[in-house]
Amino acid sequence: MNNLKVDEIIFITIKRIGINGEGIGYYKRLAIFVDNALVGEEVEVKITNSYEKYAIAEIVKIKKISPSRVKPACPYYDKCGGCQMQHLEYEEQLKEKKNILIYSFERYLNGFNKIKINETIGMDEPYFYRNKTQLPIRHDGDKVVAGLYAKNTNKLVYIDECLVESKLVQKTFKVVLDALTKTNVDIYNPKFKQGLVRYVVVRGFEETKEVQVTLVIMELDSKILKAMKLISKIENVKSVNYCINTDLKGIEILNNQIVNVEGKTTIAGKLQDLSFDISPNSFFQLNTKQTLVLYEEIKKAISPKGDEKILDCYCGIGSIGLFLASSVKEVRGIDNNK
C-alpha cells in the first residue's frame, strides 16, 4: 500500500530508465518515477504525485552523481518537453534504449529470453537530422515566434534554434516566421481563442534541397494568402499549402483537406537512388540518414537470394518495400490510404 504523501522527502537509488527517459527507483517496493535522474544515482526527491501503485517525484539533491551525466547541449532542454535524455552521454543513451526494449518485452512476452536483442545503432552526429517539424506559433507582441510545450503543460516555450531539426528546415522556418510577421497575419491566441494561424509545418530534404511549407489555420483571409505568396519566394521552398483545422482539442494537426496555393503539390525526397514525391500529409521517415541504416539492417536480416516475395504491410509511401525491390522477385505493399 502506498503511504507516501505529496511534498514528502525520501531518499532512493535509481535502478533503471523508464520509457519516457525518467529515472525509476523504489521506496519500500513502490516505483518512484523521477525526471532527469540516471541509473546508479542516489537522489533525495520530493513527491509531487502519489498514486496507489507508484509515485512521481522531482529531484531535490543528487547525493551520488552518475559518471555518465553530461550538460545538455540544448539551452532549452530543462524548459521544453521535446527531448528526454540529453543529460546522459550519447553512448549510454543507446544502451538505455536497448534496456527499455528488453524491459518491455520481458514484461509482456512469454519466452522472451530466447530472443536476441542487438545493440542499438547510433548516429555519428546525433543532431540536425530531423527533416520535418510542426510547431505551434504565437505573437509575442513584437514578432511571430514558435516553440514547444513544456512537459505536461500547455505553456509554450519559445525556441530560436532546435538542435534536432535539420539546418535546412531550421533556416526555412525562421524565414517563414519573418514572412508571417511582415504580412501582419492574425496569429491564433489560445487564451482568448482568437486569431487564424495556429501551426507552421516545414518539411525539407538536404538530399534534394526541396522544402514544403504548410500553414494550419482557422480560416483563410487575404493576409494569409499574401504571406503564402511571400513564403513561396523563400530559397528552396517548392510547395506552399494550407490546411483548415478548427478542432482545438484534436491531436492531429493536418486533419483536413490540404490545399496547394503556391508551387508543387509534392516535393522530392531521396533514399539512395530511390526518389519519392512527398505530399504534406505523407508519412516519411524523419531521419533520412538513419533510415538507410535501418533499411540495410532489414535487408541483412532477410538476406535475399532474389526469388523472394515481399509483403510490405502498412507500407505508407512504400519506402521499405521499394528499398528491397531490386533484391527480390516481387513486392506487394498494402495500406488503407489510397
Side-chain angles (χ1 to χ4, degrees):
M1 183 177 175
N2 180 7
N3 293 316
L4 288 174
K5 295 178 174 56
V6 171
D7 292 335
E8 187 172 346
I9 304 291
I10 61 173
F11 184 79
I12 59 173
T13 299
I14 302 301
K15 299 296 185 181
R16 64 185 182 91
I17 298 294
I19 59 171
N20 298 308
E22 72 277 53
I24 302 176
Y26 295 89
Y27 183 78
K28 296 180 181 178
R29 302 177 70 178
L30 184 78
I32 313 293
F33 296 82
V34 187
D35 271 350
N36 294 320
L38 297 176
V39 172
E41 291 189 330
E42 297 174 0
V43 290
E44 187 178 287
V45 300
K46 181 172 76 172
I47 303 299
T48 56
N49 296 88
S50 188
Y51 304 96
E52 183 181 352
K53 295 184 178 180
Y54 68 95
I56 298 172
E58 61 184 22
I59 294 174
V60 174
K61 186 176 182 179
I62 303 177
K63 301 276 189 170
K64 179 183 175 183
I65 298 176
S66 167
S68 300
R69 179 177 283 275
V70 295
K71 182 180 178 181
C74 176
Y76 306 102
Y77 179 69
D78 293 329
K79 301 179 183 71
C80 98
C83 299
Q84 288 77 42
M85 297 176 73
Q86 280 192 23
H87 59 296
L88 179 62
E89 288 178 349
Y90 184 59
E91 289 303 316
E92 292 300 313
Q93 288 183 33
L94 301 179
K95 293 176 184 177
E96 290 301 339
K97 287 179 180 180
K98 177 183 176 180
N99 289 335
I100 290 169
L101 191 64
I102 290 171
Y103 292 138
S104 300
F105 276 123
E106 282 179 340
R107 185 171 182 179
Y108 297 109
L109 182 65
N110 291 329
F112 167 70
N113 57 346
K114 298 177 183 177
I115 297 174
K116 179 187 175 185
I117 301 292
N118 294 329
E119 299 302 317
T120 307
I121 301 172
M123 300 182 70
D124 295 332
E125 171 56 69
Y127 294 107
F128 305 114
Y129 60 83
R130 190 180 174 99
N131 59 42
K132 179 185 177 183
T133 189
Q134 48 189 37
L135 298 177
I137 61 172
R138 301 284 189 271
H139 202 290
D140 69 356
D142 180 41
K143 61 185 183 300
V144 180
V145 295
L148 286 164
Y149 293 110
K151 187 175 181 180
N152 299 324
T153 76
N154 59 2
K155 179 184 176 183
L156 198 66
V157 178
Y158 300 159
I159 293 173
D160 290 324
E161 181 181 47
C162 178
L163 295 185
V164 299
E165 292 172 359
S166 78
K167 292 183 179 180
L168 176 63
V169 166
Q170 198 174 109
K171 177 184 174 183
T172 305
F173 208 105
K174 288 180 179 178
V175 187
V176 169
L177 293 179
D178 288 343
L180 295 175
T181 300
K182 286 176 184 175
T183 49
N184 198 28
V185 296
D186 192 7
I187 303 301
Y188 184 75
N189 185 324
K191 183 177 180 180
F192 301 105
K193 295 186 178 178
Q194 294 176 340
L196 298 182
V197 185
R198 298 177 60 200
Y199 295 89
V200 172
V201 183
V202 176
R203 175 184 258 160
F205 297 99
E206 303 277 4
E207 297 82 2
T208 62
K209 301 299 181 192
E210 293 199 3
V211 178
Q212 187 174 67
V213 178
T214 305
L215 303 183
V216 179
I217 62 178
M218 297 291 284
E219 62 180 73
L220 189 63
D221 73 354
S222 59
K223 287 183 180 178
I224 294 174
L225 285 170
K226 184 179 177 182
M228 289 192 287
K229 191 80 174 175
L230 193 58
I231 290 168
S232 71
K233 294 177 168 45
I234 297 172
E235 183 182 11
N236 298 313
V237 172
K238 307 297 181 185
S239 173
V240 183
N241 317 272
Y242 72 84
C243 173
I244 294 178
N245 180 351
T246 57
D247 183 1
L248 302 180
K249 294 183 179 180
I251 296 173
E252 291 294 325
I253 294 175
L254 301 176
N255 70 342
N256 214 331
Q257 179 185 4
I258 294 171
V259 180
N260 177 253
V261 177
E262 300 284 345
K264 306 185 294 180
T265 57
T266 62
I267 58 171
K270 282 187 77 70
L271 288 174
Q272 287 183 348
D273 59 343
L274 291 171
S275 296
F276 298 87
D277 292 327
I278 301 169
S279 61
N281 57 353
S282 290
F283 172 80
F284 198 78
Q285 295 284 354
L286 295 172
N287 187 339
T288 314
K289 292 185 179 70
Q290 202 69 344
T291 296
L292 291 172
V293 175
L294 171 65
Y295 289 5
E296 288 291 354
E297 288 297 310
I298 295 173
K299 186 183 286 188
K300 193 189 302 181
I302 293 172
S303 297
K305 296 178 175 57
D307 59 349
E308 292 86 358
K309 295 181 179 181
I310 298 291
L311 186 62
D312 188 357
C313 300
Y314 318 101
C315 65
I317 204 167
S319 56
I320 298 177
L322 291 168
F323 187 85
L324 298 171
S326 62
S327 304
V328 299
K329 182 179 180 181
E330 179 183 287
V331 169
R332 291 177 184 243
I334 298 176
D335 198 281
N336 68 351
N337 185 317
K338 293 181 182 180

